[in-house]
Amino acid sequence: MTGNSQRKYRADYRPPIYLIDTVDLDFDIRDGVIRVTARHSVRRNPQVIGEGDRWWLDGRELRLLSIAVDDEPVADAALEITATGLWLDGLPDRFTLTVVTEIDPERNLSLEGLYRSGTILCTQCEATGFSRITYFPDRPDVMSRYTTRVEADAARYPVLLSNGNCIESGEADHGRHYAVYDDPFAKPCYLFALVAGDLGVIRDTFTTASGRAVALRVYTKHGNEDQCHHAMASLKDAMAWDEATYGLEYDLDSFVIVAVGSFNMGAMENKSLNIFNTACIFAHQNTATDGDFARVRDVVAHEYFHNYTGNRVTCRDWFQLSLKEGLTVYREHQFAIDHGSPGVTRIEQVRMIRDVQFPEDAGPRAHPVRPESYVEMNNFYTITVYEKGAELIRMMARMAGRDAFTTAVKHYLDKHDGQAVTIDDFVAAVEESTGLDLAQFRHWYGFAGTPRLRVVSRYDDGRLTLEMAQATPATPGQKSKPNFDIPVSVALFDDAGRVVREPEIVRLDKQRDTFVFEALDQAPTVSVLRGLTAPVRLEFDQNEAALVRLMAHDSDPVSRWDAAQSLYMATLKVAVSAHRNAGPMPELGAGVIEAIATLVADPPEDRALLAEMLSLPSATQIGEAFEAIDVAAVEAGRRHVKRRIAVRFETELWALVDAHAPRGDYVFDRDAAGRRRVFATALDYLAGLNTPAIRERAREVFERADNMTDRMAALNALQDLPGEDRDAVRAAFAHRFADYPLVMDKWLRLTAATEDGDAVARVRDLLGDARFDFTNPNRVRALIGGFVRGNPLAFHREDGAGYRLVADEILRLDSLNPQLAAALAGLLAPWRRYAEPYASGMRDALARIGAAELSDNTREIVEAGLGEAA
Ligand code: BES
Ligand code: ZN
C-alpha cells in the first residue's frame, strides 16, 4: 500500500495543543517553482494541559528550505520529518514559527493544494490540501487570521487574488508585481485560496439590507465572460435570499468567484474567493441546458450560503462534515424550491435520495451521516453526508415548524460564531431554541442504513387503523440498530378525491405502533409519507384504484407523482420478471392506462410536474425493487413498457409535442423550462416507435433550436435510432461546438451511451481522441462516468469487457488523481446487488484493481467493496 493509510477514528479526537492566531503567507511565483514563506504566531492552547511540547505539522510533497522558531533555525535534534509531515520538539509556550518551502504546481496533477488549471494557478484546500502548500496543522479546529502576499510576473499573471481585502498592491522588479490581502475573519486553513492568472472578469454590485455596497466579480479565461452572467445574477439572488430568509448579511466588501476548467468537485466556498468548476458557472442558452442553468444557480447559492453555515461557524473535525454540508444543502434546497417549481424541485430531491442515497446506504460503503472512521476523508463527501444529512435537517425543521427552525439556526450561528463545532452542538442549539427533545432523533446521525417502514391499513365501521412498524438492516460494522424517531405524514381522501383528513404528522418512535382515525363516512384512500417526510423505504400495499385516485387528486404534487411511480412500478416489475423468465411480455395494466389518460386529458398547470408524472422510474429505481439486479431484464422491461405507452398514446404524445413545441425566444424561467421538459419527454416516448415522422421531427427540432435544451432533446430522442438523421445531427453538433469543452462533454456522454455497434471499442478509441483529456476530471467523468451510467448494457456486457475497460482506466488514473479514481471505483463496489454473471464480473474487476499498488483513496473503496457483506 502506498501512502501511510492510517484509519482515523471520531472517538480519538483531541483538541490542538498549539493554536495559531495569525498566519502570514508570502507566495513568490517563479517559472516552475513557487516559494512559500509562512510566519505564524503560535501559542499553547490554554484548554489543553500537560500534553508536552511536541507538535505535529502536516505537510506533503514539499521541499523544506528552512524552519525557525523565533527566528532561530530549529536544531536537527528537535525536528523529525516524515512523508506526511513533521514533528517539532521542545517548543516554548508562545513563539513565531517561520517555514520556507518550495512547491511545484507543474508536477501536481492531483488538483489539491496549489495547482495549474490551463494557464491559471489556483488552490483547492478542502479537506487536507493546505498541507501540500506548507507545513501546518491541517485540521479545521485551528482557526487563524490570514495575511497573504503574492508576487508574480505581471504579464503572465496580471490578476492576483486571495481571501479578504486587497490592502496593498504595486510593481516589483523585473516586470513583476504583487498584491497583499488581509482576511479579517479567523478561518481554518481549508478555506484558504489563492489565484494567479490572466483572466477576464465581469463585475456587479450588491447593496446589503443595511446599505453596504459589496463588489462582486466573476473571473474566467478570457472570451468566456458572456457565459458568466447567469452565475452573477444567481449570486445576487442568493445574497438577497439569505437576507430575506435568515437575516444573514454578507460580511466583507467583496465577493469573488473564479471559474477554472480543471476541478475535482463542483465548487469550493473559500472565504470571499470561491473557486468553481466552469461546469457550475458557465450558462448560456447556446451551450447550456435548463438543467445546467438550474445547477449553476443552486451551486452558486450553496457556496455562498457556506459563508455562514461552514465558514463563520465551521466543523471541529471532518467527522462533522454534515454539520456544514447537510445544513447548507438544506438551505440550497429551500432556495431552489423558492426559485423553481416547488413540487418538482422536491420530486428531484426525493428521486436523488431513492436512486442514489438508498443504494449507498444498502451497499458496502454504507456509513452514518456522521461517520465513525475513515482512511481518506475525500471518500466521505458522499450522498449520505450531503443529501441524507439535508433530510435530517429537514425533519428537524418540520418538527419545529419553519419559522421556529429559522430562529434556531440563527441561535446556532450566534452562539458559535467564530468557532469550530460538532453536529451535536448544532442539535443542542436546536433543542435550546425550539424546546424539542431530540435525544432519540440523534440516532439518525450515528447509525447507517435505510429504515424500512411497513404500513398496514384496516378500515372498520367508520374507523381507520394504521399499523406501522420499523426495521433497519445491518450495515458494515453495525449489526443492530436502534428504533428511529420517524415522522410520517398522513392524509385521507374520499373516493371523489376530496380531503377527509388534512395532512398531519404522526411519529413512529417505537418498533411498532398503531394510529387510529375515527368518524369516517367511508373507507378512505390513505396517503402516507407524503413528500418523503423521513428517509425511509415505505412498504405499503395499495391497490391500483387507490393509486389512480391519489395520482389524480392528492393535494400534494409530490404524492401525485409518487402514486404515478407506484403504478408504473407495478407494471415494470411484471415486465422485468417476464423477460427474466423468458415469458410473454405483459400489456399495460388498466391502472397505468387510466392514469396516463387522466393526466393528458387534465394536465397539471405546472408543466414540469406533467413531465415528471409521465416519466417512468429510472432503471436504478427498478433494479432496487429486486433482490438481485438483472441489468438486461431491467433494460428490456423498461423499454417494453415505454414502447407500449408510446403505442397506446401515440396521438396524445404527438399532441403534447405540438402543444409544447419551441416558440418565441429562449428564456430560462419556471414556465418555459417546464414546457421544454414536456416536449422532450413526449419526444423521447415517441422515439421508441422509430417512425420516419419522429426522426424527421427530431432533426428539424435540432436544426431550428435556439438553445441547448431543445438541441439535447433532439439528440436524446435520436440516441438509439441509428441512421442518417442521427449521424447528421451528431456531426453538426460536434463541429459547431468543437471549441466548447463543456459541450463536448455532452457529446462524449452521448457517444459513450450509444448502444449500437461496439460501445466498449468506441470508448477506447475516444480515450485517444484529441477531444479527450485524461488529466481533466470533467472529460473523464463525461466519458467513463457517461459510459457506466448511460450505457448499462455495454458496461454490464456479459463477457466483462465493460468492467475491464473501467478497471483499466481506474488503474491508469490512480497515480495522477486518486480522488477521481476512487470515485470511479465506487461504481464497481456494489457488485453484490447484481445477478450473475454481472456480480462476478464486477467483483473480478474490483479484485484486479485491488491487486495493484494503489492510493489510500482507491484502496479504501476497493477494500470496502471486497469486504464481507454486512
Ligand atoms: N465544500 C464543498 C466542496 C468540496 C468537496 C471540496 C470535497 C473538497 C472536497 C462544496 O461546498 C460542495 O459541497 N460542493 C458540491 C456542490 C454542492 C452544490 C453540493 C460539489 O462540489 O459537488
Ligand atoms: Zn458544500
Side-chain angles (χ1 to χ4, degrees), residues 339-379:
H339 283 77
S341 143
V344 171
T345 306
R346 180 62 188 156
I347 287 169
E348 286 166 350
Q349 292 157 11
V350 171
R351 202 193 296 111
M352 185 79 138
I353 288 280
R354 289 192 185 142
D355 282 15
V356 194
Q357 201 279 324
F358 286 4
E360 178 170 278
D361 229 353
R365 302 192 50 213
H367 54 273
V369 170
R370 182 188 55 216
E372 293 299 337
S373 77
Y374 62 79
V375 174
E376 171 53 58
M377 186 53 210
N378 282 318
N379 287 335

Side-chain angles (χ1 to χ4, degrees), residues 629-684:
I629 303 169
D630 180 334
V631 179
V634 167
E635 287 303 318
R638 189 170 190 276
R639 263 164 241 220
H640 169 78
V641 172
K642 204 168 143 192
R643 208 170 311 112
R644 297 314 302 164
I645 291 175
V647 169
R648 177 69 176 71
F649 291 99
E650 187 175 359
T651 316
E652 292 83 350
L653 288 164
W654 272 112
L656 286 176
V657 165
D658 290 333
H660 297 82
R663 59 176 153 79
D665 291 338
Y666 176 90
V667 280
F668 174 67
D669 67 22
R670 203 175 309 204
D671 188 53
R675 298 177 59 82
R676 284 188 288 270
R677 197 129 139 193
V678 174
F679 179 74
T681 307
L683 209 62
D684 183 47

Side-chain angles (χ1 to χ4, degrees), residues 239-309:
M239 295 177 86
W241 187 91
D242 221 13
E243 288 184 347
T245 315
Y246 284 92
L248 296 173
E249 238 183 68
Y250 187 62
D251 55 8
L252 278 166
D253 300 332
S254 82
F255 189 89
V256 175
I257 291 176
V258 179
V260 300
S262 282
F263 200 74
N264 260 341
M265 303 291 292
M268 178 64 209
E269 71 266 25
N270 319 300
K271 185 82 188 185
S272 83
L273 178 52
N274 286 189
I275 300 182
F276 271 63
N277 190 324
T278 48
C280 295
I281 287 293
F282 289 178
H284 186 283
Q285 71 185 71
N286 279 331
T287 45
T289 61
D290 294 335
D292 297 330
F293 272 78
R295 171 98 185 131
V296 167
R297 180 195 65 203
D298 296 346
V299 181
V300 167
H302 175 106
E303 306 310 337
Y304 174 73
F305 296 155
H306 270 314
N307 190 51
Y308 281 93
T309 51

Side-chain angles (χ1 to χ4, degrees), residues 126 267-269 299 302-303 306 309 321 324-326 328-329 332 381 386:
E126 188 179 359
M268 178 64 209
E269 71 266 25
V299 181
H302 175 106
E303 306 310 337
H306 270 314
T309 51
L321 179 62
K324 76 174 174 83
E325 294 303 346
T328 303
V329 170
E332 172 204 332
Y381 287 78
Y386 275 65

